[in-house]
Amino acid sequence: MPTDANISSIEEARAFLEKHNIDTIRVGAVDLDGLWRGKQFGAEYFLNSVAENGTHIANVLFGWDVEDEVVEGLAYTNWETGYPDIKLIPDLSTLRLIPWEPRVASVICEMVEMDMTPVVYSPRDILRKAVEKANEMGYQPKAAYEFEFYLFEGSIADMAEGDYRNLHPARRAGHTYSMLHYATSDDLFGQLRRHIQEAGLTIEATISEHGPGQFEFNLQYDDALAAADGALFAKYAVKELAARNGMTACFMAKPNAAWSGSSGHMHMSLSDMDGNPLFNNAEDPLMLSDLGLSFLAGMKENSRIMSAIYQPNVNSYKRTMNVGAWAAANSSWGIDNRTVSFRAIPSKGPAARIENRIPGADTNPYLVIAASLLCGLKGVETGMDAGEPFKGNAYRATPEQATPLASSLEEAAHLFADSPLVRELFGEEFVDHYVRMKRWELLRMNSKVTDWELNRYLEVI
């Protein structure tokens, strides 16, 4: 990390902004859909007011959907309450440059009510509390994200004019690990690596993926909260840099039924409070430690009830419908097996970890890391047994061998709402609110007439 990272005071923030000649600060927080929302301030006003006192923003952030359409039936915020303010309080440790925009920096915020109590629906606060629970148990959680996404030619405005039909991928065919595909995308990925490094993050690798114009980037591991912050920043960096290069980056789970889905795999491990890794197994380097296996068992056994977080949108389930589509769809685990949902990756040292292969690229990193961590800790608390690793093709596993995950957002919402463990881990208020948001998404989908329906029914019915 750069030497001027990990800022903890307004004086250090001032020195950072002066050093880099910054005059504009973007101040924001992540909502339930993983969207980064906020405001923009001049540097002096930020330092003299916002950095210490925060800024007000309407709590409608938790009252509308991805299209800013107000969600009906929410208890927390609605027309009757008048959508009052909450506060964004900058976490100065997240202050970083936006290197592709001269003299601009950004900071991620905590969300609090006007009485300074945390907003219980804030994804970042949910993850922060999960990390605190891990710390109380004597563990430091580490995490790393990897995103797949599609690159399309043209701007999002051009695509919207055409109702998102006739999309033109940056490459006409997909060849995983192809070195040739970097020829037309290297300008973008070169910019991405350099700018991310300047911002204090590290992209370890960029990869040509299976779908036409599909790529992947892998972020370096970090403390769990910092990893989520980094994933949020990097995702927006890709989208903004693509736009600057005359392209559009798409993180939908499945933008085209014929193409490979886009994943958002998350890697996780635990260290002790002195930083010593705990998932490595000195006696058997080809297996995780007992602690690692109990943690994995908690993630695996509770993955079905977490479907609404790992697959949060209607489109998410299109990615997992086809057997063998490189998308996990059941509660399975194996050792270095890419057909399972939870891939154990043994190592002699700190690289020993668990990969959660269920999430798509459309997920909220804060909630995915929080859910994975809380489920894993539950496995440790109860001494859960992971059972034998699955050997072979887990896509072909029977329900008796590996419990299926939810097959639709409707089923996922029911599972999330009805689970006592989910309510224990996330709290009643959050669960009721989150489920209402998912059911609203279903309501909006069911109110639309699709091209598929017209093509199938118009003539013959």
Side-chain angles (χ1 to χ4, degrees):
M1 295 283 273
T3 55
D4 52 10
N6 300 318
I7 293 165
S8 60
S9 69
I10 294 175
E11 291 73 23
E12 290 175 348
R14 182 180 296 277
F16 175 85
L17 298 182
E18 289 177 352
K19 174 182 177 180
H20 296 286
N21 196 29
I22 299 298
D23 68 359
T24 302
I25 316 294
R26 289 181 181 165
V27 177
V30 68
D31 68 9
L32 285 176
D33 292 304
L35 305 184
W36 196 17
R37 299 182 185 262
K39 300 180 179 181
Q40 189 164 280
F41 297 97
E44 279 306 310
Y45 184 76
F46 172 79
L47 291 167
N48 295 333
S49 178
V50 177
E52 181 175 2
N53 303 315
T55 185
H56 294 189
I57 197 166
N59 74 1
V60 73
L61 287 182
F62 295 101
W64 57 24
D65 61 18
V66 293
E67 291 190 318
D68 292 4
E69 185 174 359
V70 170
V71 177
E72 299 171 5
L74 295 175
Y76 171 64
T77 187
N78 49 58
W79 292 116
E80 282 67 36
T81 64
Y83 298 105
D85 278 346
I86 54 176
K87 295 186 78 172
L88 302 183
I89 306 295
D91 179 347
L92 293 179
S93 70
T94 69
L95 183 62
R96 62 175 84 246
L97 301 175
I98 299 182
W100 56 91
E101 294 199 46
R103 306 185 69 188
V104 180
S106 70
V107 67
I108 297 173
C109 298
E110 298 285 2
M111 294 193 223
V112 297
E113 304 288 356
M114 297 306 292
D115 63 2
M116 299 303 290
T117 58
V119 174
V120 299
Y121 313 102
S122 165
R124 194 169 192 266
D125 192 62
I126 287 168
L127 176 54
R128 182 180 57 78
K129 289 176 179 176
V131 170
E132 288 174 357
K133 178 178 179 179
N135 294 163
E136 290 168 3
M137 294 173 65
Y139 307 127
Q140 294 186 71
K142 307 288 184 180
Y145 239 87
E146 51 188 45
F147 281 113
E148 293 172 349
F149 63 98
Y150 278 88
L151 274 179
F152 296 120
E153 296 173 356
S155 71
I156 196 68
D158 294 335
M159 294 182 189
E161 275 191 24
D163 291 328
Y164 304 102
R165 295 183 178 87
N166 300 316
L167 301 178
H168 299 289
R171 294 291 298 186
R172 294 294 178 258
H175 294 287
T176 307
Y177 301 127
S178 171
M179 302 303 284
L180 293 174
H181 284 192
Y182 293 113
T184 54
S185 59
D186 191 55
D187 283 349
L188 173 63
F189 285 110
Q191 291 172 43
L192 179 63
R193 283 190 299 273
R194 288 189 293 274
H195 289 322
I196 287 292
Q197 191 75 40
E198 290 175 59
L201 299 168
T202 298
I203 287 182
E204 292 186 336
T206 53
I207 303 165
S208 173
E209 269 294 340
H210 189 64
Q214 188 184 34
F215 296 89
E216 176 184 322
F217 66 90
N218 305 153
L219 290 163
Q220 189 176 59
Y221 81 96
D222 207 336
D223 292 335
L225 187 59
D229 290 338
L232 174 72
F233 186 89
K235 185 174 180 179
Y236 274 79
V238 171
K239 294 176 80 71
E240 291 189 14
L241 288 170
R244 284 173 171 265
N245 283 269
M247 295 183 285
T248 297
C250 171
F251 287 81
M252 283 179 65
K254 190 81 167 178
N256 185 299
W259 300 345
S260 176
S262 291
S263 71
H265 296 164
M266 191 278 300
H267 296 249
M268 178 165 280
S269 64
L270 297 180
S271 298
D272 64 23
M273 298 308 289
D274 293 322
N276 300 306
L278 296 175
F279 280 7
N280 56 313
N281 189 335
E283 296 181 1
D284 184 359
L286 299 180
M287 181 59 75
L288 297 179
S289 66
D290 289 343
L291 176 73
L293 289 173
S294 290
F295 191 93
L296 184 152
M299 293 173 72
K300 177 179 76 74
E301 291 302 316
N302 297 309
S303 56
R304 177 171 162 81
I305 58 174
M306 293 297 170
S307 295
I309 285 179
Y310 297 152
Q311 299 167 286
N313 300 306
V314 171
N315 180 254
S316 305
Y317 297 84
K318 307 294 175 67
R319 170 175 161 264
T320 58
M321 286 184 68
N322 297 327
V323 174
W326 301 103
N330 54 39
S331 300
S332 57
W333 83 277
I335 301 171
D336 199 13
N337 183 339
R338 284 183 169 83
T339 70
V340 298
S341 295
F342 296 96
R343 175 179 166 232
I345 307 173
S347 169
K348 293 181 180 180
R353 63 196 187 275
I354 301 163
E355 180 186 20
N356 184 348
R357 295 178 58 81
I358 300 171
D362 58 338
T363 48
N364 184 324
Y366 296 92
L367 294 181
V368 168
I369 296 176
S372 299
L373 177 57
L374 290 169
C375 289
L377 293 175
K378 180 59 68 172
V380 172
E381 285 178 321
T382 59
M384 210 172 278
D385 184 355
E388 292 298 313
F390 193 93
K391 296 179 181 178
N393 184 357
Y395 297 130
R396 299 292 182 182
T398 66
E400 292 74 27
Q401 292 173 309
T403 303
L405 304 178
S407 59
S408 68
L409 186 59
E410 182 176 17
E411 183 182 10
H414 281 299
L415 290 168
F416 202 74
D418 295 344
S419 168
L421 179 60
V422 168
R423 292 183 177 275
E424 173 194 329
L425 297 179
F426 289 94
E428 298 282 346
E429 290 177 279
F430 175 84
V431 172
D432 289 342
H433 188 97
Y434 190 78
V435 168
R436 180 59 192 165
M437 297 289 286
K438 299 301 113 178
R439 288 176 174 159
W440 171 261
E441 199 73 6
L442 288 162
L443 181 66
R444 301 316 299 147
M445 178 195 71
N446 290 332
S447 69
K448 304 300 180 183
V449 176
T450 66
D451 289 349
W452 181 87
E453 291 169 283
L454 292 173
N455 290 331
R456 190 172 182 86
Y457 302 128
L458 189 147
E459 178 183 354
V460 298
I461 296 298

